[in-house]
Amino acid sequence: MNGFTKTTNTNKDFIMKDKTLIGPIYYDIVFTKKQKRKLLKKINISKDQLIPSVGEACTHILYKDNQVFCIIEAYNPEDSPEYISLLVHECVHVYQEMLDWMVEKKPSCEFEAYSIQDIVLNCLRKMKQYLEKNKKIWYNSKSKHKCIADELDL
């Protein structure tokens, strides 16, 4: 993959701002092409090393300098069930890469659930921050959105 190698060594002293470390795996989410350019510059990776994005969202897995970088591209964020389910889908790819790196074939159900929950929560927090900064809507208790249970009188 363009000179990147996957190794079991890690440089734990290297923690990028606004990134979360899962063992030796860093992941981040970008909502705009500008954010993507800035992130790639920060980790010194050329956009030519990425597979072209298709669809609404995608996850890039890159190996560089004994580290794994998972970059989730999820443009046009919104607090809709469809967008959030797409985000969860991409977060599962980050989790799958984490398992692959750990050479873990059958994690416990709780390990799996908490890992995916943590990845999704971090991405949702970053999405909330992005939406609030850009004056877009984020669900809150005063919102006019109703949950399915409210609509069905459950």
Side-chain angles (χ1 to χ4, degrees):
M1 183 192 282
N2 294 327
F4 294 128
T5 56
K6 186 173 183 179
T7 71
T8 56
N9 297 327
T10 182
N11 178 354
K12 292 185 180 179
D13 295 328
F14 182 77
I15 299 177
M16 299 177 299
K17 183 180 176 207
D18 298 328
K19 310 304 170 287
T20 301
L21 173 67
I22 327 173
I25 300 175
Y26 298 91
Y27 65 92
D28 199 0
I29 184 167
V30 295
F31 303 108
T32 66
K33 292 184 181 192
K34 181 179 178 181
Q35 287 179 331
K36 178 181 167 184
R37 283 190 304 272
K38 285 176 71 174
L39 177 61
L40 292 174
K41 183 177 180 181
K42 182 174 273 189
I43 60 178
N44 197 26
I45 292 177
S46 165
K47 72 175 185 171
D48 298 334
Q49 294 169 301
L50 300 179
I51 296 171
S53 307
V54 292
E56 295 288 319
C58 70
T59 300
H60 301 281
I61 311 294
L62 303 159
Y63 308 97
K64 182 180 181 210
D65 299 331
N66 299 326
Q67 297 170 74
V68 181
F69 298 93
C70 300
I71 302 171
I72 299 172
E73 281 186 76
Y75 298 134
N76 304 313
E78 57 184 58
D79 64 339
S80 70
E82 294 79 12
Y83 184 86
I84 292 172
S85 68
L86 185 64
L87 182 66
V88 170
H89 172 101
E90 297 305 325
C91 290
V92 169
H93 291 309
V94 173
Y95 170 75
Q96 290 166 335
E97 180 59 28
M98 181 181 80
L99 289 183
D100 187 41
W101 185 91
M102 294 169 53
V103 192
E104 178 65 52
K105 300 295 179 204
K106 184 67 177 136
S108 73
C109 293
E110 284 302 301
F111 176 82
E112 188 170 54
Y114 279 118
S115 297
I116 293 171
Q117 176 185 347
D118 187 58
I119 296 165
V120 171
L121 181 60
N122 286 327
C123 289
L124 285 174
R125 283 181 176 147
K126 190 157 185 183
M127 183 178 97
K128 180 179 186 278
Q129 182 181 41
Y130 172 81
L131 290 174
E132 288 175 344
K133 179 181 176 186
N134 291 285
K135 311 270 191 272
K136 297 187 179 188
I137 297 171
W138 175 257
Y139 175 81
N140 63 48
S141 60
K142 297 175 187 168
S143 174
K144 294 180 180 177
H145 292 102
K146 291 185 176 180
C147 71
I148 293 171
D150 290 340
E151 292 291 323
L152 299 176
D153 293 323
L154 297 177

